[in-house]
Amino acid sequence: MNTAANDKSVNIKGRDFLALKDFSTAEIEYLLALAGELKQKQRSGETFTPLSGKTLAMIFEKPSTRTRVSFEVGMTQLGGHALFLSSNDLQLGRGETIADTARVLSRYVDAIMIRTFAHSKIEELAEYATVPVINGLTDDAHPCQALADLLTIYEIKKKFKGVKLAYVGDGNNVAHSLMIAAAKVGMDFAIACPINYEPKKKMVEEALQIAKQTGASITVTNHPDEAVKDADVIYTDVWTSMGQENESAERLRVFQPFQVNAELVKYAKHDYIFLHCLPAHRGEEVTSDIIDGEHSAVFQQAENRLHAQKAILLSLLGA
């Protein structure tokens, strides 16, 4: 990763941050470099408030710990203000259109972050908003998480080329964004899912097209050992996401062979790192000895949500 955070050739001011496929490799590397610099500033105790007077509206139709806290703290640390809006705080729940909500909020705030269900909702919000819209999570994508994941991998492995990232579990929104992120930076990606739980074909096709340009490889399999073989990074997520609670019993049964445990990680490289976007269900998708073990970087990864999102905010708002 060679793009410095002060590279004037990269300018994403005023853009929406809906999916990583919308950003070039250079732009993603810019955001990662900027996130690293912002992390250093915070660690050194330096006060840096370029977003003074700016306000971020945060819409939550899905609950959150890391997304809410990291965006709110990040905006505060940059000198701005974050406004929490649940479904109960908005007229969306009483029939106001997404378009009208976008138009109104655009006259009050400088950016909108939304954590919601259907990806079409965030696309409609971005279409009618006149301020940047940030995807805090949809059913299809979680780009903020993937950016933090890339930052964590780079901090530890010091490179992307030649690194293999293995994802084991549900082919969900996190998997989609990770796959695209890996392809963008030229990192090899393998995903193992049970039959009928693979990532969406459209997402796989997009990743394959990107990978052709960057030299990455994309592998989709139903065999965890195949995905994890010689992996530098092992990643998993919960088996039952929000909105899927009625499928929980069936998912627990189907996904059991995809648990990340001491037997599975033997297929990885000896210096592999373990990542999880959290919250984790210890004893389900991962055993406690792995997530709490010496190879785990999950809390470094969680912290990096803050720094990655500060980079997004700073870049989109043009400060």
Side-chain angles (χ1 to χ4, degrees):
M1 186 171 68
N2 300 314
T3 305
N6 60 359
D7 185 353
K8 302 302 182 183
S9 66
V10 176
N11 183 1
I12 61 174
K13 179 180 179 180
R15 286 175 58 182
D16 299 314
F17 191 80
L18 306 187
L20 288 179
K21 68 180 179 62
D22 301 328
F23 292 81
S24 68
T25 298
E27 289 167 339
I28 291 171
E29 290 180 341
Y30 169 84
L31 287 168
L32 292 172
L34 179 57
E37 290 190 11
L38 291 170
K39 186 174 184 176
Q40 290 177 0
K41 287 180 185 294
Q42 180 184 327
R43 291 285 178 87
S44 69
E46 178 181 345
T47 300
F48 183 61
T49 57
L51 296 187
S52 177
K54 302 286 187 181
T55 300
L56 171 71
M58 304 188 303
I59 302 173
F60 286 90
E61 294 189 321
K62 280 188 173 183
S64 167
T65 299
R66 279 149 292 276
T67 299
R68 178 179 177 179
V69 175
S70 56
F71 266 110
E72 191 162 341
V73 171
M75 197 67 182
T76 300
Q77 289 180 354
L78 292 172
H81 175 70
L83 180 66
F84 174 81
L85 298 168
S86 71
S87 298
N88 295 330
D89 299 316
L90 296 168
Q91 297 300 323
L92 277 171
R94 290 202 289 264
E96 182 170 59
T97 66
I98 296 171
D100 285 353
T101 299
R103 293 183 181 108
V104 170
L105 287 179
S106 295
R107 292 172 180 260
Y108 295 149
V109 303
D110 301 283
I112 303 168
M113 187 282 296
I114 182 170
R115 184 177 170 93
T116 187
F117 292 89
H119 195 77
S120 58
K121 181 173 284 190
I122 198 172
E123 291 175 330
E124 185 176 355
L125 187 71
E127 180 181 353
Y128 290 97
T130 56
V131 298
V133 173
I134 300 169
N135 183 355
L137 177 141
T138 66
D139 288 344
D140 280 359
H142 200 353
C144 292
Q145 178 66 57
L147 196 67
D149 298 338
L150 288 181
L151 179 61
T152 308
I153 293 168
Y154 191 80
E155 286 177 336
I156 298 172
K157 296 298 181 181
K158 309 301 182 186
K159 62 179 183 177
F160 292 126
K161 298 281 188 180
V163 171
K164 179 182 178 180
L165 168 58
Y167 178 97
V168 180
D170 191 17
N172 59 14
N173 47 10
V174 170
H176 291 159
S177 290
L178 264 179
M179 183 166 52
I180 297 294
K184 283 284 187 180
V185 298
M187 182 166 50
D188 296 330
F189 181 84
I191 179 169
C193 309
I195 295 172
N196 297 325
Y197 292 92
E198 298 92 347
K200 291 184 177 181
K201 289 183 179 180
K202 177 184 176 183
M203 300 295 183
V204 176
E205 290 169 357
E206 288 177 352
L208 287 170
Q209 287 300 316
I210 296 167
K212 286 181 181 179
Q213 302 169 13
T214 62
S217 67
I218 305 294
T219 303
V220 180
T221 178
N222 301 120
H223 304 286
D225 53 345
E226 180 184 340
V228 172
K229 183 175 174 55
D230 295 328
D232 300 279
V233 184
I234 302 174
Y235 197 120
T236 193
D237 190 9
V238 294
W239 291 340
T240 305
S241 298
M242 285 175 282
Q244 299 172 335
E245 288 78 8
N246 63 330
E247 304 174 21
S248 180
E250 176 66 9
R251 283 175 169 267
L252 284 173
R253 183 188 68 81
V254 171
F255 280 89
Q256 193 58 49
F258 292 78
Q259 183 185 74
V260 178
N261 53 35
E263 286 302 311
L264 183 61
V265 301
K266 288 178 181 178
Y267 291 93
K269 291 182 180 176
H270 73 279
D271 61 346
Y272 82 92
I273 61 171
F274 174 77
L275 299 180
H276 191 305
C277 54
L278 301 180
H281 295 167
R282 286 168 168 79
E284 291 184 14
E285 71 273 7
V286 60
T287 54
S288 294
D289 59 315
I290 298 299
I291 193 170
D292 297 323
E294 62 180 349
H295 293 274
S296 179
V298 297
F299 296 109
Q300 178 177 343
Q301 175 190 11
E303 178 192 346
N304 282 340
R305 287 291 302 277
L306 171 64
H307 308 300
Q309 282 154 199
K310 285 168 69 174
I312 293 167
L313 291 166
L314 195 57
S315 299
L316 299 186
L317 293 177

